[in-house]
Amino acid sequence: MAHGHAPQPPAPQPLPGVANIVAIGSGKGGVGKTTLAVNVAVALAKLGHKVGLIDADIYGPNVPLMLGTGQQPRVLQNNQIEPNFAHGIKVISVGFISPGDKPLVMRGPMLHQIIRQFLQQVEWGELDFLIVDLPPGTGDVVISLVQTVPLTGAVVVSTPSDVSLQDARKALEMFHQVNVEVLGIVENMSHLSCPYCHKEIDIFSKGGAERTAKQFNVPFLGSVELDPEIRQGGDKGLPITLLGETSAKARDFYSVARQVAARAQEQSAKAENVFEIS
């Protein structure tokens, strides 16, 4: 047997019936990435799209709490997993399988296996968008994801503070290195409106994410206000976007959702054209 190069891993395979796969990530925790992923997914569903959500944050699966669903998914006859259904979206999370406070202790190969299962063994059916809520940082889960399926693109979430933006830049660079198109940056907790004087309070230096977007030549998808009702909605399993697009509290998320949808569809069309030409 000739000594040659190590065998190449299998090429990423599209998921039948799933039009767009969009990862939502951040360089660090605590910036509201899961809040954005959940509310964008619900907003897309309320706008008439068929939507799925993968909670790929294996160590800190908060999606079940934020969607108010915790039942264990059914395993179907063909060994496929039926996702839970909450607020108009299909959803899978390791939190459904290992609920409560017990931590999951696992290494890279086990993480890879779970991500593959969530993508390939779940009965997603026909979806316009499959949103993937990534764990914080730039580790194994992202690599597993891009090795398993072709991503339409990624959204990076950051607060406007310099500390958060430093890590957001690492996330931007990571997506660049694995050849994933960044659909844009969202500035979360952009500012606080004082409930008494109604003036804006600039807690984290508003505008930092927009400046970073310009610096990296990627779209700025908008900002989301720091609002206690958004947090309350997540804690109660009733995302703020359930109030609808006309709600002042939910409007920012709908704006981001519409832009994510438009950018993802543009990117998918480009990819199809490249495929046809080649």
Side-chain angles (χ1 to χ4, degrees):
M1 180 177 163
H3 293 286
H5 296 293
Q8 290 291 313
Q13 295 298 313
L15 295 182
V18 178
N20 299 280
I21 303 175
V22 176
I24 296 188
S26 63
K28 73 196 302 299
V31 298
K33 171 186 51 60
T34 301
T35 297
L36 188 93
V38 164
N39 278 288
V40 162
V42 171
L44 287 169
K46 296 274 275 182
L47 291 168
H49 299 289
K50 293 174 184 169
V51 183
L53 174 63
I54 291 178
D55 182 0
D57 193 346
I58 306 300
Y59 296 123
N62 301 130
V63 165
L65 174 68
M66 289 191 180
L67 284 175
T69 176
Q71 68 197 50
Q72 194 148 356
R74 285 195 318 134
V75 179
L76 306 172
Q77 284 182 334
N78 56 0
N79 217 25
Q80 291 285 99
I81 301 162
E82 184 178 62
N84 286 358
F85 194 74
H87 305 310
I89 63 176
K90 295 176 180 178
V91 58
I92 196 72
S93 170
V94 84
F96 300 149
I97 300 149
S98 177
D101 297 331
K102 189 177 177 185
L104 276 174
V105 181
M106 62 182 70
R107 302 185 73 146
M110 292 168 75
L111 284 172
H112 183 67
Q113 188 57 34
I114 285 178
I115 297 305
R116 286 182 72 89
Q117 278 189 313
F118 280 0
L119 289 161
Q120 296 173 338
Q121 243 181 288
V122 173
E123 196 75 67
W124 290 114
E126 297 285 321
L127 292 180
D128 299 312
F129 297 95
L130 179 57
I131 305 294
V132 184
D133 177 33
L134 293 174
T138 54
D140 288 345
V141 169
V142 177
I143 304 302
S144 295
L145 188 62
V146 298
Q147 285 178 349
T148 308
V149 290
L151 286 183
T152 309
V155 174
V156 173
V157 185
S158 179
T159 69
S161 77
D162 288 346
V163 171
S164 180
L165 287 165
Q166 185 176 45
D167 292 331
R169 288 192 283 271
K170 288 175 187 164
L172 288 167
E173 190 55 40
M174 169 193 67
F175 288 123
H176 176 68
Q177 285 180 13
V178 294
N179 295 315
V180 172
E181 182 78 10
V182 174
L183 304 177
I185 299 178
V186 177
E187 182 168 280
N188 195 30
M189 306 185 221
S190 181
H191 63 276
L192 174 71
S193 293
C194 173
Y196 306 107
C197 70
H198 306 294
K199 288 183 180 173
E200 280 190 9
I201 302 170
D202 190 0
I203 296 175
F204 294 120
S205 183
K206 182 181 176 182
E210 187 169 10
R211 288 191 295 275
T212 300
K214 281 180 185 162
Q215 183 189 345
F216 279 78
N217 199 28
V218 297
F220 179 64
L221 302 178
S223 56
V224 177
E225 190 176 336
L226 179 61
D227 190 316
E229 287 187 44
I230 295 173
R231 191 270 307 158
Q232 288 161 9
D235 286 351
K236 290 176 181 173
L238 296 168
I240 199 85
T241 37
L242 291 172
L243 295 176
E245 194 170 7
T246 55
S247 162
K249 302 284 184 181
R251 200 176 296 143
D252 290 343
F253 288 116
Y254 278 89
S255 173
V256 170
R258 284 187 181 278
Q259 289 184 79
V260 168
R263 291 273 300 140
Q265 286 161 342
E266 273 173 35
Q267 196 56 32
S268 287
K270 268 191 215 167
E272 276 176 28
N273 288 340
V274 168
F275 180 74
E276 282 169 13
I277 291 164
S278 59

